[in-house]
Amino acid sequence: MKRKANAMGATLSNDSASSRTVSSAQKPSTSSNEDFFPVPLEILEEIFLNLPPDQVVCICRLVCHQWKEVADSESLWRERCRREGYRLRDAARIPSDWRLFYFLCEKRRNLLKNPRGEHNMKGWQILENGGDKWKVEGLMVPHPDETVQKSFVTSYSICKKAQLIDLEKEGYNPSFMDHFQPDIRVSDWYAPRWDCGSEYHICVELLNHRKRRIQTFAPGTVFFEQWNDQKWNQITHVFKNYGPGVRYIRFTHGGKDTQFWAGWYGIRVTDSCVEICPAVDT
């Protein structure tokens, strides 16, 4: 991945790649290794489109100048995005680097484990387990995403849980993070019970290799009064231009009920998400 990430920055125009062919007639047979690959560049591009993308970047582009030119071309990665369904949300916002856009789309996923409570508390570090402790329950009202069927529920004293994401272990090596600084999008869904007041907290931190804070998203506490509509609410934030050094992301959230009722009447949370994503898609 390291060689792939380091190579993801350069792009060339389609015009420069498609207007020439590699032919043994162009140069003396002893000039370079390029003479052993007399393939028109448009055919070479089609071949690359049918190879694994990491092989194109880490192997093919090292063969000769012409192969590198095709492997780095904008047209190759734009076409690859089209064929694999990686589309722009806003057609007016064109990526400055189609190769980077492709690889960010390919790797994009939720970096949090067990975000919906489908495996009870697995993957989460319990920081505070007040009242009758954390619990996983079914939903009181439907979530906007019908595939979400469970949530984490808090009690009458503060409940907090966290996950620490190691970016290098997730495939985002240090040189890639420092050079490209891709957008980091975080989101969380939370809802109160209709019959009890509650409060909700979230804090997301970008950390360096020593796990010291580089940047933090920590909005104020959200309070709900008793007899509310108990609807699901989403909070989102995108970290941009955060500078070099980010190696970890710490996601922490939780809350409690505000009426100190025994049981699980506090805030409910589910479908939490942390993604590394293209800037044009946030």
Side-chain angles (χ1 to χ4, degrees):
M1 176 61 196
K2 183 175 182 180
R3 291 174 67 187
K4 174 170 65 177
N6 289 342
M8 282 165 56
T11 57
L12 295 174
S13 70
N14 186 35
D15 292 340
S16 64
S18 63
S19 61
R20 295 181 299 280
T21 59
V22 184
S23 171
S24 59
Q26 290 177 297
K27 294 184 179 181
S29 59
T30 58
S31 62
S32 73
N33 289 336
E34 296 165 7
D35 304 316
F36 293 102
F37 308 101
V39 181
L41 296 190
E42 60 270 19
I43 296 177
L44 191 59
E45 180 176 293
E46 184 61 32
I47 293 172
F48 286 180
L49 286 167
N50 287 277
L51 291 175
D54 59 325
Q55 290 185 16
V56 174
V57 172
C58 295
I59 300 174
C60 297
R61 73 186 300 272
L62 304 180
V63 171
C64 64
H65 174 76
Q66 279 78 11
W67 283 39
K68 179 180 184 298
E69 188 171 355
V70 175
D72 288 345
S73 68
E74 176 184 315
S75 65
L76 175 73
W77 299 102
R78 185 175 62 238
E79 176 62 14
R80 190 144 203 156
C81 288
R82 186 191 70 81
R83 293 189 186 187
E84 298 186 25
Y86 298 143
R87 309 194 188 285
L88 301 170
R89 290 187 181 181
D90 183 352
R93 300 180 65 192
I94 305 299
S96 59
D97 186 330
W98 280 94
R99 179 169 54 185
L100 176 61
F101 178 79
Y102 172 83
F103 278 108
L104 286 174
C105 288
E106 184 191 41
K107 291 177 65 62
R108 184 173 183 173
R109 66 197 186 281
N110 189 355
L111 300 179
L112 291 174
K113 314 302 181 187
N114 188 29
R116 301 175 176 182
E118 294 163 333
H119 305 288
N120 200 24
M121 304 302 296
K122 184 177 180 180
W124 292 94
Q125 178 189 8
I126 305 301
L127 302 179
E128 297 189 61
N129 216 8
D132 285 320
K133 304 181 180 181
W134 281 100
K135 183 181 180 182
V136 174
E137 290 185 350
L139 306 184
M140 295 190 69
V141 295
H143 189 276
D145 181 348
E146 62 182 16
T147 64
V148 178
Q149 295 296 317
K150 292 185 177 182
S151 64
F152 301 94
V153 187
T154 61
S155 190
Y156 59 85
S157 188
I158 194 69
C159 296
K160 284 188 178 181
K161 59 186 179 71
Q163 282 194 40
L164 181 68
I165 298 167
D166 184 329
L167 291 172
E168 188 164 12
K169 286 184 178 179
E170 295 295 338
Y172 299 96
N173 67 50
S175 61
F176 172 77
M177 292 301 300
D178 291 349
H179 182 72
F180 291 107
Q181 296 176 36
D183 286 3
I184 300 173
R185 182 182 184 274
V186 301
S187 67
D188 200 19
W189 288 88
Y190 58 97
R193 280 183 62 120
W194 70 279
D195 55 355
C196 185
S198 60
E199 62 183 61
Y200 165 78
H201 311 268
I202 184 173
C203 177
V204 185
E205 302 161 287
L206 306 186
L207 309 175
N208 66 14
H209 69 287
R210 295 182 178 179
K211 298 178 183 175
R212 294 177 179 172
R213 285 190 299 270
I214 292 177
Q215 204 169 117
T216 302
F217 170 64
T221 302
V222 179
F223 293 95
F224 291 93
E225 300 294 333
Q226 188 180 26
W227 315 122
N228 57 76
D229 59 15
Q230 71 179 14
K231 288 183 178 179
W232 287 100
N233 302 270
Q234 186 183 32
I235 189 167
T236 63
H237 178 74
V238 179
F239 290 98
K240 297 175 178 283
N241 304 317
Y242 40 79
V246 174
R247 303 292 179 263
Y248 299 91
I249 304 171
R250 182 186 289 129
F251 181 99
T252 307
H253 67 172
K256 64 175 185 175
D257 84 49
T258 56
Q259 294 176 238
F260 302 96
W261 290 359
W264 296 272
Y265 289 83
I267 202 73
R268 292 152 144 65
V269 294
T270 193
D271 204 24
S272 312
C273 187
V274 175
E275 298 175 297
I276 308 295
C277 50
V280 295
D281 208 27
T282 54

